[in-house]
Amino acid sequence: MDTNKILNKKPADNAPRIIISGGGTGGHIFPAISIANALKKLCPDADILFVGAEGRMEMQRVPDAGYRIIGLPVAGFDRQHLWKNVSVLIKLLRSQRKARRIIKEFRPQVAVGVGGYASGPMLKACASADIPTLIQEQNSYAGVTNKLLARQARKICVAYEGMERFFPAEKIILTGNPVRQNLRDTHITRQEASAYFGLESRKKTILILGGSLGARTLNRTLEAGLSLIKGNPDIQFIWQTGKIYIEEVKAAITAFTGEAMRNVHVSSLPNLYVSDFIKDMSMAYAAADLVVSRAGAGSISEFCLLGKPVILVPSPNVAEDHQTKNALALVHKEAALYVKDADAPALLLDTALQTVTDDDKLHSLSRHIAALALPDSADIIARETLKLIPRKETEQ
């Protein structure tokens, strides 16, 4: 994308100029877009510029949502092989220079950081230029970047209680995590959703989510449990494998059934729907009685909003093991079940099958997780962002 062309675009007179920075995963990008949409709702003439990381998924997802984005040549630190970080440091220096140029050309009045590689250099450059900054921490255990940025941030929006152990209490606002708007506004019935997946609405349904890229443990567990799936024909499964694993999963199903799998169903497993990616998550949630998922903050916020019973299997491959901390924050409030990644092959399917047939347990989990929902997160964050714009600029 042409950086010069983006920066040369002139906003309307007196239009608030806002930078939103971060990305790397859907868990960062979807909340960022929700915040931008909320800002546009409150202030239609707002000039919003996204700053992401070159080569990451935000460089496609953000323009698809109708917003401009500039990528920084930034990368994450390799904590396993420290010697590889020389190139990372060079990219960081280049990103800081580019961030300063963006500030000079775009002249933002406020900046929002949603986490991810790009938010570090961009928010730091804004704070150094005396531009007010707001950061959004999605997890129950704060990330390194946000802990560093918090020192100069004016406001810190969080999704969990008890974040005073990471951030100055006077800066914290409990807002929750913004979720995709289409999930809030849907009126899909269970019958419609089940039909969408070629399943029966009268049968209990388990939704397995590994994210857009997939989760190796969840996929391997289900591959090994195909006989259990076949042996429980009154329980249905919607299995999102992720793009990386779809061919492996198809091969495992073909080996088990002796039937080549060319689409989302095989005739010998009519209670199983398999896809690498589910485009309409509203349908998936409407069809599901129980969800099995990693414990990303964005996903958890969606489960809270929709009151979905969930078994969380935190990824062990994330910084500070924050997914386990996210999961335990719910478990301690009886709002979710938790299976360790290492225990999943032995316990996960049995736990899911027992839970989905226990209506009392499903109702209890649904009631407790729904009580944790904060449905107006994006609007609250947008209002706090606009408050940070210096009054003398808004009154010109």
Side-chain angles (χ1 to χ4, degrees), residues 103-241:
I103 290 170
K104 182 179 179 181
E105 298 292 332
F106 183 67
R107 296 180 298 112
Q109 296 166 309
V110 64
V112 177
V114 295
Y117 300 146
S119 65
M122 193 67 247
L123 269 287
K124 185 176 185 297
C126 285
S128 297
D130 203 27
I131 296 163
T133 62
L134 175 150
I135 58 175
Q136 194 233 345
E137 176 53 61
Q138 301 169 2
N139 294 294
S140 62
Y141 192 91
V144 173
T145 299
N146 274 348
K147 283 190 280 189
L148 293 173
L149 294 173
R151 298 169 187 171
Q152 294 178 289
R154 304 282 182 89
K155 296 289 182 181
I156 303 169
C157 297
V158 301
Y160 293 87
E161 296 173 349
M163 298 301 285
E164 294 85 359
R165 66 190 191 277
F166 303 112
F167 304 126
E170 68 275 9
K171 296 183 178 182
I172 293 174
I173 305 171
L174 182 63
T175 62
N177 287 323
V179 301
R180 291 171 277 192
Q181 275 95 341
N182 64 325
L183 297 180
R184 294 182 57 183
D185 302 331
T186 184
H187 300 287
I188 299 167
T189 66
R190 179 184 178 87
Q191 289 74 19
E192 291 170 336
S194 299
Y196 179 85
F197 294 103
L199 300 173
E200 299 181 40
S201 60
R202 65 180 181 83
K203 293 183 178 181
K204 296 288 189 178
T205 302
I206 301 172
L207 171 64
I208 299 97
L209 299 174
S212 58
L213 296 179
R216 178 181 288 108
T217 298
L218 299 187
N219 288 325
R220 296 279 170 84
T221 297
L222 264 74
E223 288 170 14
L226 287 170
S227 59
L228 261 179
I229 292 173
K230 186 173 184 177
N232 285 272
D234 289 330
I235 297 176
Q236 301 171 135
F237 297 80
I238 300 171
W239 177 6
Q240 179 187 275
T241 68

Side-chain angles (χ1 to χ4, degrees), residues 7 60 79 92 108 138 164 172 241 268 315 348 375 380-381 392:
L7 291 176
Q60 177 183 345
R79 303 183 187 203
L92 179 60
Q138 301 169 2
E164 294 85 359
I172 293 174
T241 68
S268 55
S315 170
L348 181 58
I380 296 169
I381 295 169
K392 63 180 181 181

